Amino acid sequence: MQGLKMMKGLLNICLVLFLTLFQAAYAGSCFEKPSDLDDCIAKAKEGNVRAQHNLGRIYRGNKKATQEVTKDYQESALWYRKAAEQGHASAQAWLGVMYNLGFGVNQDYKVAAKWYRKAADQGNVLGQLSIARLYSQGKGVIKNLKEAERWYLRSASYDGDYTYAKKMIKEMYADNKDDWSAILHSIK
């Protein structure tokens, strides 16, 4: 009987120790929801690519943090760039968005196209859709409707739903009737 009491006491002590260690290890994590801003900054400064990407999202206003954070597109672009330079596809795509729209950086379609393409080559759908749009408009790249179509179709291949890609291709050719009629005329 006394052994059973002792065993229960030890189990309670173990449980308290476990919970304390678990809380210390996982409380305030950059990767929890909401993200701990201080933890993200510390990890990002150490070069953690996920933390850098999270900071880009936090400063863009797209990810909740434990502390109140004011949108700061320059800070967002800075952290996206650090993650993008390490090959993080989502950060590359979002850095492309920042350049495309001129959020926190000078608007530059060529630089946007560069980052979209890096993301697209890794299978990032935002990157694929965005580079397709630039090709269809001739912004930052030489206008090329066939290349745009290829990227739109490639963006749909990840889940097999080509509805959006077909819609975008149809709109692209409708917006570029002169280009398309010239192509059709040359085929005849």
Side-chain angles (χ1 to χ4, degrees), residues 8-135:
K8 283 184 179 180
L10 284 173
L11 282 174
N12 283 338
I13 290 170
C14 287
L15 180 62
V16 169
L17 283 173
F18 174 75
L19 290 175
T20 303
L21 291 173
F22 182 81
Q23 183 179 9
Y26 292 98
S29 173
C30 177
F31 309 117
E32 298 296 317
K33 293 179 184 177
S35 290
D36 182 284
L37 183 63
D38 294 331
D39 187 55
C40 276
I41 291 170
K43 283 182 168 82
K45 285 181 176 178
E46 292 171 359
N48 183 299
V49 70
R50 282 182 57 213
Q52 292 168 344
H53 176 255
N54 276 354
L55 279 177
R57 292 180 62 208
I58 289 168
Y59 284 112
R60 195 181 89 232
N62 192 265
K63 183 170 177 59
K64 294 208 182 293
T66 53
Q67 296 92 330
E68 187 67 31
V69 178
T70 305
K71 275 187 190 180
D72 183 338
Y73 291 127
Q74 285 183 319
E75 194 70 14
S76 177
L78 178 138
W79 290 110
Y80 276 141
R81 176 179 308 286
K82 289 181 182 290
E85 288 172 347
Q86 291 189 67
H88 193 284
S90 180
Q92 291 170 337
W94 279 105
L95 186 57
V97 169
M98 305 296 270
Y99 276 101
N100 192 19
L101 301 176
F103 285 0
V105 293
N106 292 327
Q107 188 176 37
D108 188 328
Y109 294 119
K110 283 185 180 184
V111 176
K114 171 187 130 178
W115 289 112
Y116 286 151
R117 182 61 187 258
K118 286 178 180 281
D121 285 340
Q122 292 188 67
N124 180 277
V125 175
L126 175 60
Q128 292 170 341
L129 291 171
S130 300
I131 194 69
R133 189 155 197 78
L134 290 184
Y135 274 116

Side-chain angles (χ1 to χ4, degrees), residues 110-182:
K110 283 185 180 184
V111 176
K114 171 187 130 178
W115 289 112
Y116 286 151
R117 182 61 187 258
K118 286 178 180 281
D121 285 340
Q122 292 188 67
N124 180 277
V125 175
L126 175 60
Q128 292 170 341
L129 291 171
S130 300
I131 194 69
R133 189 155 197 78
L134 290 184
Y135 274 116
S136 74
Q137 297 170 340
K139 290 183 176 177
V141 292
I142 295 171
K143 188 174 186 173
N144 184 332
L145 300 184
K146 291 308 278 179
E147 187 69 5
E149 181 178 343
R150 185 175 78 81
W151 281 110
Y152 278 130
L153 291 173
R154 192 165 169 197
S155 75
S157 66
Y158 80 100
D159 71 354
D161 183 6
Y162 288 84
T163 308
Y164 182 75
K166 287 178 183 176
K167 176 183 177 251
M168 294 307 295
I169 291 167
K170 184 177 177 181
E171 286 178 14
M172 174 183 70
Y173 284 124
D175 291 344
N176 292 282
K177 285 182 227 158
D178 295 336
D179 295 340
W180 185 237
S181 61

